Amino acid sequence: MNGRKGWLVYREKDIARNRRFIDLLEDAAKKYALDLTVKPYESIDFQLTAGNAGTDSNSGVSPPAFIINRAVAPWLNEAAEVMGIRCYNRANIARIANDKRLAHAHLHQLGVPMLPTRACSLTQVLDERTNQSIIAKDPLGRGGTGVKLLNISDSPASIRAALPKQVIEQPVGGQPGKDLRVYIVGGKIIAAVLRESSTDFRANISQGGSSKLVELTAVQRQIVEKITSAFQLDFVGLDFLLDKNGHPLFNEMEDAVGCRSLYIAGQDNIADVVMAHIASDLAT
């Protein structure tokens, strides 16, 4: 196993639209003497049971020393760690961050403020609907996808077409069209951006939102540090709704966190920070 060789894993369909970030990571990797190769998720071929664990079954090429998994496939982190391959993020973080049910359960136990949240079937949501609007989310969705504001006038057929059979349900809360994303690298707060949309209740950049760099308030920083002290976070985004006083309400932990918010806000050195963290971690 080459101690400086790593895979940057993306699904094939996502490579082109993430080319800017990929190029930045590759440039930063060279700066820190790391050999980083883009590996399409669909091309991964691990030997799991015989011979040298992790060896490419077809070519016999030895496995990498580390993997940056941006494919939203937590099994890969866990299987790779069993084989002694360091993953960014760690398997337990990838599993928690990629399932909103787990993220809310874990962070609630820390005392992190959030909206009342329950995991249930979409059928339960539809059967119990009242005149009050609610939010239903695909627990495995990301980037603002699989999130729907349900009004009593919405037809059950349209709701079932937009959401999976299992969802999380929350009341409408926070300031519509506004949220706070905090970027964490190596357990440290690197940047925070306020994302806003004037056309949608979601503030995600992929849904047409804008962003600007902001300084965290003392209350916001205290809540973020409660999370970073409890988990080993290599590179994540922590997303918060904001109540009417600007206090954060946990909304999501992003494993393969998007960085367009930072680019739009004029901050594009996050790739360098990530690769510096990985180089330092591998050296320990």
Side-chain angles (χ1 to χ4, degrees):
M1 185 181 297
N2 184 340
R4 309 296 290 181
K5 179 181 178 180
W7 287 352
L8 174 59
V9 179
Y10 275 95
R11 295 183 187 268
E12 287 180 345
K13 65 183 178 62
D14 295 327
I15 290 176
R17 71 185 185 91
N18 287 283
R19 191 73 250 179
R20 178 179 179 180
F21 188 54
I22 291 170
D23 289 344
L24 289 171
L25 285 172
E26 289 179 326
D27 289 344
K30 294 174 184 175
K31 175 180 175 181
Y32 296 103
L34 297 173
D35 179 9
L36 188 66
T37 300
V38 177
K39 183 79 168 177
Y41 174 74
E42 292 80 0
S43 73
I44 290 174
D45 184 2
F46 268 171
Q47 179 60 256
L48 298 173
T49 58
N52 295 322
T55 301
D56 187 300
S57 302
N58 291 324
S59 67
V61 174
S62 62
F66 69 94
I67 294 175
I68 304 172
N69 183 8
R70 307 277 294 175
V72 192
W75 78 266
L76 176 59
N77 303 59
E78 190 155 355
E81 285 185 3
V82 168
M83 301 170 188
I85 300 170
R86 176 70 161 92
C87 286
Y88 302 91
N89 288 295
R90 292 170 170 83
N92 68 314
I93 299 302
R95 181 169 52 84
I96 292 169
N98 284 303
D99 190 325
K100 294 180 178 66
R101 294 164 295 196
L102 296 177
H104 280 81
H106 279 274
L107 269 63
H108 175 68
Q109 292 302 310
L110 292 178
V112 174
M114 60 184 66
L115 293 172
T117 303
R118 72 164 179 163
C120 59
S121 71
L122 185 57
T123 297
Q124 286 175 279
V125 172
L126 293 174
D127 288 347
E128 299 170 8
R129 274 201 302 171
T130 66
N131 288 328
Q132 185 175 1
S133 297
I134 57 172
I135 302 289
K137 301 179 180 180
D138 179 350
L140 306 181
R142 57 190 302 270
T145 61
V147 178
K148 189 168 178 60
L149 173 64
L150 304 186
N151 299 303
I152 194 63
S153 59
D154 295 332
S155 72
S158 68
I159 294 172
R160 290 188 185 279
L163 292 166
K165 293 181 179 180
Q166 295 294 320
V167 297
I168 64 170
E169 179 197 70
Q170 296 175 321
V172 177
Q175 301 177 39
K178 181 181 292 188
D179 73 9
L180 178 72
R181 167 166 287 178
V182 184
Y183 287 87
I184 308 295
V185 177
K188 298 178 181 178
I189 298 171
I190 302 302
V193 294
L194 181 67
R195 304 187 300 181
E196 297 182 271
S197 174
S198 59
T199 59
D200 198 295
F201 71 96
R202 298 164 295 181
N204 305 74
I205 298 300
S206 58
Q207 304 299 325
S210 62
S211 70
K212 64 179 179 181
L213 290 170
V214 294
E215 292 291 330
L216 296 178
T217 67
V219 171
Q220 291 167 352
R221 180 172 290 273
Q222 182 181 38
I223 290 172
V224 171
E225 289 177 346
K226 180 178 290 190
I227 299 171
T228 58
S229 65
F231 297 100
Q232 290 181 298
L233 304 177
D234 290 307
F235 179 32
V236 304
L238 298 173
D239 292 351
F240 298 89
L241 304 175
L242 298 173
D243 70 15
K244 63 181 180 180
N245 297 314
H247 294 164
L249 301 169
F250 174 74
N251 190 47
E252 191 170 2
M253 183 188 295
E254 287 272 6
D255 168 35
V257 58
C259 296
R260 293 177 183 84
S261 299
L262 287 176
Y263 303 155
I264 292 171
Q267 175 69 275
D268 61 2
N269 74 337
I270 188 71
D272 189 276
V273 178
V274 171
M275 296 314 300
H277 163 63
I278 292 174
S280 175
D281 181 68
L282 291 172
T284 58

